[in-house]
Amino acid sequence: MADVSLGPPDRDRLFGGDGAREADRAQLLLVAGLVIAVSLVTLVVLLNATIYSENVATRGIESTDGEALEVRATAVGGTGELIDAANRAGPTDPEDIEDSIGDLDAELSRSYAERGGVTHLNLSSVGNGSRVSGELGAVDPNASLLAGNVTRTRGFVIDVDPDPGSLNQTDPAGAVDDAFHVDLNDSTGGSRQVYVYNGTDGNVTVAVGENGSAPTALCETPPAGRSRVAVDLTGERLGDRPCPGLWPRSLVAPDGTYNITLVNADAAGGEVTATVRPVSGGAVTSNPDLTATAAVYEATIELRYRTADLRFETTVRVAPGEPDA
């Protein structure tokens, strides 16, 4: 018969020997490795969550910034169009502008309400000025004062007829005597001349000079297919092309006043238009052959826009077509 009796207990198993201690240490190392691995995984998860949250938050800020800028641009653009439309219609009463701003406010409210936004547009103040316009062929062919003693100018555009029979052909060397030009003479005694002529290559050319010196050609554009080419002095454009440097920086936000004079008007055919702010704030001094009417030069508006995630308020001065500071 087999012996199935139990032997005496194993002392090493009960009280631990060298082999048991080595096994325990291995288990402790394994547990510690698992703890470290879990900790690293948790750290990576938390780090990814933080980066994701920051990216989402940043996208939200950029989105609301863009929305606010869109509302601001719409309000400013609409106000500028209302001002210019009222000025073109004739002498402008500030109360007419206020009524028009009220209509624009209603339109903005309806438009942005569909997107969950609430807008309010209010006219804060109006700055008076004069709008001067006329045909170049109607003024003194030598020199005619377009606007005298002004502090700011905007929307100064000359639409010239590029036909060689209307616009003299010359080059920079002969422009002083032969080309139509605008003389900008400031109160400090300095002056800038802007010449417009047909270049020898047939392109409508704009050149600038200082204090009556020989000018330097600044930009040109082909006249093909155009009845008239717009020379936008304050917007610094010739036709559909940018023409930087056309308006002198000293007159962007002048400390003093300046005069605008048309010289050699018989060397070009076309129409001139400008909105100016006289130093007196009243009627501008201008050649009687030109038409000068009371106009709104600038307006200050207050804009508020609110959504569930955004509150935006700003006060903006609107002077469409004014050169950038």
Side-chain angles (χ1 to χ4, degrees):
M1 172 179 241
D3 185 6
V4 296
S5 62
L6 296 174
D10 187 343
R11 180 179 179 83
D12 288 343
R13 294 178 61 188
L14 290 176
F15 300 104
D18 292 338
R21 284 195 295 271
E22 290 177 0
D24 290 342
R25 282 196 297 270
Q27 291 178 353
L28 287 174
L29 288 174
L30 180 61
V31 171
L34 287 173
V35 171
I36 292 173
V38 171
S39 300
L40 289 175
V41 171
T42 303
L43 181 61
V44 170
V45 171
L46 291 175
L47 181 60
N48 286 338
T50 302
I51 294 173
Y52 174 78
S53 300
E54 184 176 350
N55 287 339
V56 170
T58 302
R59 285 198 299 269
I61 292 172
E62 290 176 352
S63 175
T64 56
D65 284 350
E67 187 175 357
L69 290 175
E70 176 193 334
V71 177
R72 182 186 185 278
T74 302
V76 170
T79 301
E81 291 177 4
L82 290 176
I83 292 173
D84 280 346
N87 287 344
R88 285 193 299 269
T92 306
D93 188 331
E95 291 185 1
D96 296 336
I97 298 297
E98 187 170 6
D99 293 341
S100 298
I101 293 296
D103 294 338
L104 178 59
D105 176 42
E107 289 293 331
L108 289 174
S109 297
R110 282 193 292 269
S111 176
Y112 285 97
E114 298 175 356
R115 299 163 56 174
V118 177
T119 64
H120 180 64
L121 179 65
N122 180 60
L123 181 65
S124 176
S125 64
V126 169
N128 295 324
S130 293
R131 183 177 186 269
V132 185
S133 62
E135 292 290 331
L136 294 178
V139 300
D140 187 328
N142 296 313
S144 293
L145 182 66
L146 176 77
N149 212 27
V150 299
T151 58
R152 285 185 181 271
T153 304
R154 67 174 181 83
F156 187 5
V157 180
I158 303 170
D159 289 306
V160 297
D161 183 352
D163 184 81
S166 296
L167 188 62
N168 275 9
Q169 185 179 64
T170 185
D171 56 23
V176 174
D177 296 323
D178 300 331
F180 161 73
H181 59 276
V182 176
D183 185 77
L184 304 167
N185 197 324
D186 64 37
S187 57
T188 64
S191 64
R192 160 75 71 91
Q193 291 76 42
V194 180
Y195 299 85
V196 185
Y197 56 88
N198 267 323
T200 54
D201 56 1
N203 290 334
V204 176
T205 304
V206 171
V208 295
E210 302 287 342
N211 302 315
S213 62
T216 301
L218 193 63
C219 47
E220 60 182 31
T221 186
R226 301 178 185 177
S227 58
R228 286 187 170 178
V229 175
V231 183
D232 188 343
L233 279 81
T234 50
E236 298 190 311
R237 297 186 67 85
L238 175 61
D240 54 2
R241 302 182 180 189
C243 188
L246 194 54
W247 190 257
R249 295 295 93 191
S250 60
L251 300 185
V252 170
D255 294 328
T257 62
Y258 54 92
N259 298 329
I260 305 173
T261 305
L262 307 177
V263 184
N264 290 348
D266 58 347
E271 184 180 10
V272 60
T273 305
T275 303
V276 298
R277 188 177 71 183
V279 67
S280 63
V284 68
T285 303
S286 182
N287 188 289
D289 294 324
L290 297 168
T291 302
T293 57
V296 170
Y297 182 83
E298 62 191 348
T300 301
I301 57 173
E302 297 173 347
L303 173 65
R304 294 196 297 273
Y305 180 64
R306 179 168 54 85
T307 67
D309 304 317
L310 171 67
R311 290 179 180 272
F312 175 72
E313 295 184 14
T314 188
T315 299
V316 189
R317 174 180 173 271
V318 182
E322 190 176 72
D324 293 332

